[in-house]
Each structure stands twice: as C-alpha cells, then as structure tokens.
C-alpha cells in the first residue's frame, strides 16, 4: 500500500464515519477546530483507523499529539511501515 493509498483510506474512512466532506479534508485541516470533532469522536476515530488498517493504536502515546489530518497521515504511515518491517 502506497502512502497516497493510506492517506486516501484515512480520509475516506473518517469522512464516512463523521459524515465529512472530502473536499474540506486537507492536510492542514484541524480535527477539533475545522472538523468540529470532540474527545468522544477521537475515541471513534481511533477505532475507525484500527479497523481500516488492522493494527492497534489506542496504546500509542503519540496519538495524543495529533491535531491535524497531516498528523494522522504521518502517524498511520509510520505505524504501517513499522508493522511491515516486523513482518
């Protein structure tokens, strides 16, 4: 899976879960300010991403630092690379 495919999967998964417009989802888009997500939505977002990529992220400390879509993209791409290296 390429980085672009990962980004597209993240964006489409979040758009479907939170009924977001894909056109409004740029890397600079903030989760709380621009998309209006709250702390409960963050829990749902983690579950959606775990389901989309097949790995656990809720125990990751760096997940708490995510503020923008680009942060999510980079986090998942790095996590996917770590998983691929272990396989």
């Amino acid at each position: 899976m390429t980085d672009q495919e990962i980004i597209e999967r993240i964006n489409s998964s979040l758009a479907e879960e939170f009924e977001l417009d894909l056109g409004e989802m740029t890397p600079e888009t903030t989760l709380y300010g621009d998309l209006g997500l709250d702390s409960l939505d963050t829990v749902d977002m983690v579950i959606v991403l775990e389901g989309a990529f097949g790995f656990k992220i809720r125990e990751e400390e760096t997940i708490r630092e995510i503020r923008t879509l680009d942060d999510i993209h980079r986090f998942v791409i790095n996590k996917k690379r770590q998983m691929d290296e272990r396989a």
Side-chain angles (χ1 to χ4, degrees):
M1 179 178 283
T2 67
D3 290 356
Q4 186 59 39
E5 290 169 332
I6 291 171
I7 290 169
E8 290 171 5
R9 183 179 287 184
I10 291 168
N11 289 353
S12 64
S13 296
L14 295 179
E16 182 179 324
E17 177 70 20
F18 299 109
E19 300 178 358
L20 302 171
D21 181 354
L22 277 171
E24 296 178 3
M25 299 176 72
T26 66
E28 300 80 21
T29 301
T30 61
L31 302 177
Y32 305 106
D34 295 329
L35 298 181
L37 302 183
D38 60 27
S39 58
L40 291 177
D41 292 328
T42 303
V43 174
D44 291 339
M45 178 183 69
V46 168
I47 293 168
V48 166
L49 294 175
E50 287 179 343
F53 293 98
F55 51 69
K56 297 285 185 194
I57 59 175
R58 63 187 80 182
E59 302 298 324
E60 299 281 339
E61 198 61 35
T62 54
I63 193 83
R64 300 179 200 287
E65 299 170 7
I66 289 177
R67 300 288 181 263
T68 66
L69 283 176
D70 188 51
D71 292 341
I72 295 174
H73 299 157
R74 287 186 286 117
F75 174 84
V76 172
I77 288 168
N78 288 334
K79 182 74 175 175
K80 184 88 171 93
R81 284 185 182 144
Q82 290 172 0
M83 298 297 290
D84 291 345
E85 289 173 3
R86 291 183 192 153

